[in-house]
Amino acid sequence: MKKCLAAFFMAISLAGCSTLDSLNPFASSGPKMAELQPIKATAEVRVVWRESVGKSDVYAFTPAVVGSTVYAASKDGNLIRIDDGKLAWKINAGQPLSGGVGADQSMVVVGSPKGDLLAFASADGKLLWKAKATSEILSPPALGDGIVVVRSGDNRLAAYDALDGKRKWIYQRPTPALSLRVTSSPVIEGKFVFAGFPGGKLIAVSTSNGAAMWDGTVALPKGSTELDRVADITSAPVISGRTICAVAFQGRVACFDLSNGNLAWARDMSSAVGLAIDGRYLYVTDDKGSVHALDMASGASLWKQDKLSLRRVSAPLTRRGLIAVADVQGVVHFLNRDDGSFVARLTTDGSPVIAPLQALGSLLLVQTSNGGVYAIEAQ
């Protein structure tokens, strides 16, 4: 069952996981994913540029953005740099990859199924250093404050010196008997590293030594079976000002004070893909594919868009007053942020969008499972 759960949240086949058929849009029985209905477009969308990197297979490769530069990776080891839509360089890491991409002005970092952490020079793709994590790396590394922070498949956080790859600290929490595989990156903000863990905990640790500074309870495991008690935070938290928010599968969405972890508010909601924030509203995609807008101050519901049921909808991204989500057929949907109505739609290459959407200046960046990297403009 653990493998079945992992497969579901890595967006691969659910054959054999009969207890999850009700959530599987491709199951032979149970509810089917919603058919897309025609919409009246009120916004203009177009592909500004497109590149190809290679297939993701079962992994979620999130592209990294540094200014106008994009880095993307694929399962077969390809790593590319794109400058303003033009391919600057392309290398092969010499081994399969499973986690990526993290980058800053000087380096780009990816991870492998065997736990190898590989850092390359941003300028030319030359290998800078190689380090070893405690298990497979499924998440993009986070770079900041002179360190590279990696979350490994055994739910450990480890920090490596950005100059030479030497490990500086490691943080570990007890893991429940059943937990979901996590593909989201830790978040570095100031002197803190933030990450969600199994059991519904949002943890802040020090960038200097990995010591826990505070923990917030997003959800409490409950139920009579191990499956019922899964309440994991599988997506990255989001930050606005002095507020940090996170959401748990079979749990709640909750917001906390960034500095001390004091709870601001929480409400029941289940999501394994995540949320977005724009200073006024909080947007969440739930585990049935509905997109919700919540008031940042109180958590009160503002609107709900439920016409994408069971389409394995991505976490939202806010861009130019619009809310963007992508689905299992590679369709990017744009919603009005004030009422959730559809304002535009764009089809990519027809393959699932597993990785979170990224912001590229005023553009939207999408990487599909077939390896298409799209920069999309909406206005």
Side-chain angles (χ1 to χ4, degrees), residues 130-270:
K130 180 178 178 180
K132 196 74 173 179
T134 53
S135 73
E136 63 181 343
I137 298 173
L138 300 173
S139 307
L143 283 68
D145 203 26
I147 59 175
V148 177
V149 181
V150 176
R151 180 179 190 143
S152 49
D154 53 7
N155 287 309
R156 295 177 180 177
L157 286 180
Y160 301 82
D161 191 297
L163 294 177
D164 56 18
K166 291 182 179 178
R167 193 168 73 188
K168 302 186 68 173
W169 53 257
I170 191 165
Y171 175 83
Q172 182 179 12
R173 287 180 58 85
T175 300
L178 187 63
S179 62
L180 306 178
R181 298 176 80 184
V182 176
T183 61
S184 63
S185 175
V187 175
I188 298 177
E189 179 73 14
K191 298 297 182 179
F192 291 155
V193 179
F194 297 96
F197 283 85
K201 289 290 187 178
L202 176 64
I203 310 296
V205 303
S206 168
T207 57
S208 62
N209 58 16
M213 307 303 292
W214 59 258
D215 68 81
T217 301
V218 177
L220 288 171
K222 54 186 177 181
S224 58
T225 69
E226 293 292 345
L227 181 58
D228 291 335
R229 288 192 291 272
V230 173
D232 298 359
I233 301 172
T234 61
S235 56
V238 294
I239 297 172
S240 178
R242 302 306 303 168
T243 300
I244 182 168
C245 303
V247 64
F249 176 68
Q250 296 189 152
R252 303 186 302 177
V253 57
C255 291
F256 304 86
D257 186 289
L258 189 70
S259 60
N260 55 29
N262 288 340
L263 180 66
W265 57 263
R267 58 170 293 167
D268 289 343
M269 190 167 292
S270 177

Side-chain angles (χ1 to χ4, degrees), residues 352-367:
V353 177
I354 303 173
L357 310 180
Q358 300 294 300
L360 176 61
S362 62
L363 306 179
L364 170 77
L365 188 65
V366 179
Q367 183 170 340

Side-chain angles (χ1 to χ4, degrees), residues 51-98:
E51 189 55 71
S52 180
V53 64
K55 292 186 177 182
S56 299
D57 197 28
V58 299
Y59 301 110
F61 285 97
T62 304
V65 176
V66 181
S68 60
T69 295
V70 173
Y71 300 93
S74 67
K75 190 259 185 183
D76 60 7
N78 289 333
L79 179 63
I80 63 174
R81 171 174 172 160
I82 308 166
D83 292 337
D84 296 311
K86 305 296 183 181
L87 185 65
W89 53 253
K90 178 178 181 179
I91 64 167
N92 190 278
Q95 61 180 294
L97 299 176
S98 56

